[in-house]
Amino acid sequence: ARHRVRPVHRLERSLERIRELSRRSDRELTELDGRRFEQQGELERLRRQQGETERQLQKRLVALYKVGQIGLARALLSAAGTPLELAEKYAFLSRIVRHDRELMAEYRRQGVLAEQTLVKLRQLRERQAALTQQRRAEQAALDSAGAAHRRQPQQRSNNTQRQRQVQCRQRQIEQAVIRQAHAEDRRKDDRRMS
């Protein structure tokens, strides 16, 4: 009787470990869904900002094209008045040039941020796909172990063949649990690295 209880007890412990891994995977999938949704929103916001900045740059380029470099010199020197008026015109044109440079820098910064967000989003999708696959494997192991547990004879004497099957199933489950634990450790390491 004692030999019958051990495999059943081990199988129940293995089932509980797989259930815990499964619950953890479910929580992480939910968390990933939320993070992916946030990153998607951030990407859309950055793209809208970048589009607006691009429209502003296009307007400035059209204006610069129409005026040309000669036009800027004319604007600076036209109706040359006092040196103070000339200095004011120069300061005004300098502010315009500075604004144009800032606009270009902002456009580049938005492009970099959008690319970084896109990379994060891609990583979240890959992680979610891997976790979904892992969750399916956990569920298959859980279903298999549950079926083995239900087939386990409770009242009959324990024959050697049945005991071997249970031990084999238990080793498979333990190996699956170990693989899942290793995968979870790798995920934690990956999260620490990023």
Side-chain angles (χ1 to χ4, degrees), residues 105-121:
E106 178 64 15
Y107 182 76
R108 287 185 193 113
R109 185 189 69 78
Q110 289 169 346
V112 167
L113 288 175
E115 184 61 32
Q116 289 172 346
T117 303
L118 192 59
V119 167
K120 287 179 188 175
L121 189 58

Side-chain angles (χ1 to χ4, degrees), residues 41 130 133 142 183:
Q133 185 177 359
L142 192 58

Side-chain angles (χ1 to χ4, degrees), residues 62-140:
V62 167
L64 285 173
Y65 176 76
K66 287 179 180 178
V67 172
Q69 292 207 358
I70 302 292
L72 288 176
R74 271 192 212 138
L76 187 59
L77 297 174
S78 69
T82 66
L84 180 60
E85 289 173 341
L86 186 61
E88 287 174 355
K89 288 179 184 180
Y90 180 77
F92 177 70
L93 290 174
S94 295
R95 283 194 300 270
I96 290 174
V97 169
R98 188 175 331 116
H99 178 264
D100 289 348
R101 286 183 182 154
E102 289 171 357
L103 201 55
M104 278 302 296
E106 178 64 15
Y107 182 76
R108 287 185 193 113
R109 185 189 69 78
Q110 289 169 346
V112 167
L113 288 175
E115 184 61 32
Q116 289 172 346
T117 303
L118 192 59
V119 167
K120 287 179 188 175
L121 189 58
R122 216 174 284 130
Q123 289 171 342
L124 286 171
R125 285 180 183 148
E126 289 169 2
R127 176 71 188 114
Q128 193 173 28
L131 197 54
T132 300
Q133 185 177 359
Q134 174 187 331
R135 178 65 178 91
R136 285 185 191 126
E138 289 168 351
Q139 188 61 48

Side-chain angles (χ1 to χ4, degrees), residues 16 20-21 49 58 67 82 96 107 135 144 159 182 185 187 190:
E16 187 52 40
E20 178 56 33
L21 283 173
Q49 282 181 341
Q58 287 173 349
V67 172
T82 66
I96 290 174
Y107 182 76
R135 178 65 178 91
S144 176
N159 64 34
H182 285 265
D185 290 342
R187 283 192 310 274
D190 289 345

Side-chain angles (χ1 to χ4, degrees), residues 3 6 8 19 21-22 28 42-43 62 64 66 68 82 90 96 99 105 143 149-150 162 164 175 189-190:
H3 293 293
R6 272 191 210 161
V8 170
R19 285 184 188 119
L21 283 173
S22 184
E28 192 172 347
E42 178 68 10
L43 182 62
V62 167
L64 285 173
K66 287 179 180 178
T82 66
Y90 180 77
I96 290 174
H99 178 264
D143 293 345
H149 183 61
R150 286 187 295 277
R162 190 68 169 154
R164 284 184 190 147
Q175 288 171 354
D189 290 343
D190 289 345

